[in-house]
Amino acid sequence: MGFARTCSVALVGVEGVVVEVQADLEPGVAAFTLVGLPDKSLIESRERVRAAVVNSGAEWPQKKLTVGLSPASVPKGGSGFDLAVACAVLSAAERLDPRELTDLMMIGELGLDGRVRPVRGVLPAVLAAADAGYRQVVVPEQTVPEASLVPGVSVLGVRSLRQLIAVLADEPVPEEEDPREEGRPDASLAGLIVPGTGAGAGLPPGDHTPDLADVAGQHGARRALEVAAAGRHHIFFKGPPGAGKTMLAERLPGLLPPLSPKESLEVTAVHSVAGTLPPGQPLVHRPPYCAPHHSATMASLVGGGTGLPRPGAVSLAHHGVLFVDEAAECSPRVLDALRQPLESGHVVVARVAGMMRMPARILLALAANPCPCGRHGTTGGGCECRPSSVRRYRARLSGPLMDRVDLRIVVEPVARAELIALGRGAETTAAVAERVQAARERAVARFAGTPWHTNSEVPGHELRTRWQVHPGALAQAERDLECGLLTARGLDRVLRVAWTAADLAGRDRPTKEDVNWALELRTGVRRGALKAATGGDKISETATAGASRERR
């Protein structure tokens, strides 16, 4: 009787669970039994492993073979267990020394010819292995750069099972041809991308970044966009078609600072599991940008699918921007599903096959027309919608969802003079991003020794007690709270925006002007000729007048 064990990793969402792969050989009729709650693709590994072992020049044991995946209560799926199953079987058959596999983690799919093919989710799998104390992993050669991102782990990349057998048996390693050297496309890379998603889905383009200087006019909306980037505040654009709502939202990711090393690993892990990580790009450095269509389902937005749920758009936009255009055309039930991730920074999806927790710390940008035809309240008029239709259209954005949005901007049509003067004195994305970076650094210095990094993350109790505003700065906000124009959550969010405005202006704490400006951005009620907290100029009369009309 032969017995051997090695280890692999099962992915539950974007988190890995270490799985012990055990192989047991007993006298009896030749059979191969796989137990441990495998799915269909994992059950089929019996045929892949048998063919790969035989075609690699090793002898398949003609005995009763049982392979167990422990813990048996954790659902397991995918083809990434093939390499570990093959080595466990060969070790039980005494082709390999069982001691060589004790502290080794193996991840990879096997082709029928014995080649090792890459699989999705290598980075979160290696992270789980490192957390469990493993310091040696074996992965397909194509995913070595991704696995090497985890510090303190020795990574061995192999092209075939023959090479791995030679390494473990201390034999000469055979050469395997590399399709890249012969100019042929590597067909095995297709396994890294989920069909229909496309490589790079949800990631910003690397060759061109939309410039904020392309936006004509919209001075109030541009300043609000700067505040949103500096404090990671959710923002809502409302205005007629063609006013520039989508242009503004598309330029928001360019204002965000580059991802920190920890954030890069988290974002890369999500995209690796989702199959949207482009080959040759092992690490994501820039904040992602995801803009699902307004017809997106709840499963595509928050995560779901058959069996164990898969990451949705909120997870693909983790540490980046989720832009929902034509928000009033979306299903209200789908939009309300965003309420949990907006508050907690993660989403929990429960299905029959299991429950999954996925990261979803996003900056939400919404855009909508004022009515079904889009001309309600515009200067030219011409709106043909009934008042009841307008009310129903606006009611599709629920109050609890909008209460979590800090900045609400009315985007007016661009004037002819502003459109002709495009490019004259307009600030570029790089210039605004410098101020955003400086404001983020001030916030990080203020929150040193706390778990928070941006103003939007700080609980309201801490803002009211630990970091005080100027005396008398909250007078107008308190009056709005008493008359019902502002909720308790709204007051906390006004304070957060005021702190961001003070950080952009280089002040040590918010003034009355900062708080009143934050109130105007949230409620749409004009507070007079306020000074813009980001630059010292007066807020655009067009934007404030439009906000007042919208409130009325």
Side-chain angles (χ1 to χ4, degrees):
M1 181 180 71
F3 178 82
R5 64 165 62 93
T6 186
C7 290
S8 189
V9 177
L11 291 177
V12 182
V14 295
E15 298 179 356
V17 178
V18 175
V19 173
E20 187 178 69
V21 181
Q22 303 171 346
D24 178 71
L25 284 174
E26 295 180 355
V29 178
F32 188 173
T33 304
L34 183 63
V35 297
L37 211 58
D39 70 347
K40 180 65 174 177
S41 61
L42 185 50
I43 291 177
E44 293 177 350
S45 68
R46 297 178 300 182
E47 310 304 326
R48 292 194 301 268
V49 170
R50 181 186 289 109
V53 169
V54 173
N55 291 327
S56 297
E59 183 180 354
W60 183 261
Q62 298 300 317
K63 296 182 180 180
K64 181 182 179 181
L65 171 62
T66 303
V67 174
L69 307 176
S70 180
S73 59
V74 176
K76 305 167 190 70
S79 56
F81 295 90
D82 290 0
L83 201 58
V85 171
C87 289
V89 172
L90 291 174
S91 181
E94 300 182 353
R95 175 63 177 87
L96 297 174
D97 187 353
R99 293 173 296 181
E100 296 292 334
L101 307 180
T102 303
D103 298 324
L104 205 57
M105 181 70 64
M106 299 184 183
I107 305 165
E109 176 187 336
L110 286 175
L112 299 182
D113 58 351
R115 285 185 173 271
V116 181
R117 302 172 64 90
V119 294
R120 299 188 300 270
V122 168
L123 177 58
V126 177
L127 285 170
D131 292 340
Y134 290 87
R135 293 296 174 259
Q136 292 182 326
V137 296
V138 179
V139 298
E141 186 183 48
Q142 296 93 329
T143 58
V144 168
E146 183 179 345
S148 300
L149 297 174
V150 182
V153 176
S154 176
V155 180
L156 172 62
V158 294
R159 295 182 185 175
S160 67
L161 181 60
R162 286 182 291 271
Q163 288 186 339
L164 181 57
I165 293 174
V167 171
L168 296 177
D170 197 16
E171 300 172 353
V173 180
E175 291 291 336
E176 298 285 354
E177 63 178 0
D178 187 355
R180 295 170 296 182
E181 296 179 355
E182 301 179 4
R184 296 179 299 174
D186 191 353
S188 64
L189 295 178
L192 296 176
I193 303 174
V194 175
T197 58
L203 296 177
D207 53 348
H208 174 69
T209 301
D211 200 331
L212 196 59
D214 299 336
V215 181
Q218 307 299 354
H219 305 291
R222 290 167 62 100
R223 291 190 178 114
L225 202 69
E226 183 177 345
V227 171
R232 195 184 284 170
H233 302 288
H234 309 306
I235 189 169
F236 172 57
F237 297 105
K238 188 173 186 178
K245 304 185 296 294
T246 303
M247 284 188 67
L248 288 164
E250 289 177 344
R251 282 144 182 81
L252 183 55
L255 303 180
L256 300 178
L259 299 176
S260 66
K262 180 181 178 182
E263 293 172 344
S264 294
L265 287 177
E266 293 177 2
V267 173
T268 304
V270 172
H271 286 268
S272 177
V273 171
T276 58
L277 192 64
Q281 183 179 339
L283 187 64
V284 179
H285 297 280
R286 299 169 57 193
Y289 172 75
C290 194
H293 193 260
H294 62 264
S295 62
T297 63
M298 183 178 296
S300 66
L301 192 64
V302 301
T306 58
L308 284 176
R310 300 188 61 83
V314 292
S315 297
L316 294 178
H318 182 52
H319 289 310
V321 177
L322 176 66
F323 175 48
V324 181
D325 201 1
E326 302 295 344
E329 300 290 345
C330 296
S331 167
R333 182 169 170 264
V334 172
L335 285 180
D336 282 341
L338 296 174
R339 287 154 57 177
Q340 179 203 8
L342 290 183
E343 285 291 329
S344 62
H346 64 266
V347 59
V348 178
V349 181
R351 295 291 185 269
V352 174
M355 183 178 296
M356 182 176 63
R357 181 182 184 273
M358 294 173 288
R361 189 164 297 281
I362 60 173
L363 196 169
L364 177 65
L366 300 171
N369 296 328
C371 67
C373 74
R375 296 189 296 270
H376 181 79
T378 58
T379 303
C383 177
E384 301 175 354
C385 302
R386 296 181 178 180
S388 58
S389 299
V390 176
R391 287 194 299 270
R392 284 196 301 269
Y393 189 79
R394 295 180 178 181
R396 296 178 69 87
L397 299 177
S398 66
L401 174 64
M402 295 305 298
D403 199 34
R404 290 164 169 82
V405 178
D406 302 338
L407 312 175
R408 307 173 189 179
I409 309 300
V410 176
V411 182
E412 295 286 342
V414 182
R416 180 180 64 87
E418 293 176 326
L419 191 61
I420 294 176
L422 178 62
R424 300 177 186 175
E427 282 191 304
T428 63
T429 294
V432 178
E434 289 183 3
R435 292 201 298 269
V436 170
Q437 179 67 36
R440 287 279 186 104
E441 292 174 355
R442 293 188 185 97
V444 170
R446 182 169 63 252
F447 301 139
T450 69
W452 313 301
H453 300 89
T454 59
N455 292 314
S456 62
E457 303 173 19
V458 185
H461 174 74
E462 297 289 338
L463 283 178
R464 293 191 299 270
T465 59
R466 189 169 178 178
W467 290 286
Q468 297 286 337
V469 300
H470 274 283
L474 291 176
Q476 184 61 52
E478 292 171 352
R479 286 194 292 269
D480 287 354
L481 183 64
E482 290 178 357
C483 67
L485 187 61
L486 200 65
T487 64
R489 180 192 287 122
L491 178 61
D492 292 341
R493 293 184 175 273
V494 166
L495 281 174
R496 295 170 182 172
V497 175
W499 271 104
T500 302
D503 289 336
L504 285 168
R507 290 188 281 270
D508 58 346
R509 54 179 175 167
T511 62
K512 180 179 180 180
E513 288 75 15
D514 294 326
V515 175
N516 288 348
W517 190 56
L519 276 171
E520 181 172 329
L521 290 176
R522 180 170 182 83
T523 64
V525 177
R526 186 178 178 182
R527 309 291 169 171
L530 302 177
K531 290 187 177 180
T534 58
D537 300 328
K538 289 187 177 180
I539 297 177
S540 170
E541 291 295 330
T542 303
T544 53
S548 300
R549 289 198 303 270
E550 183 59 34
R551 184 64 187 177
R552 291 196 295 268

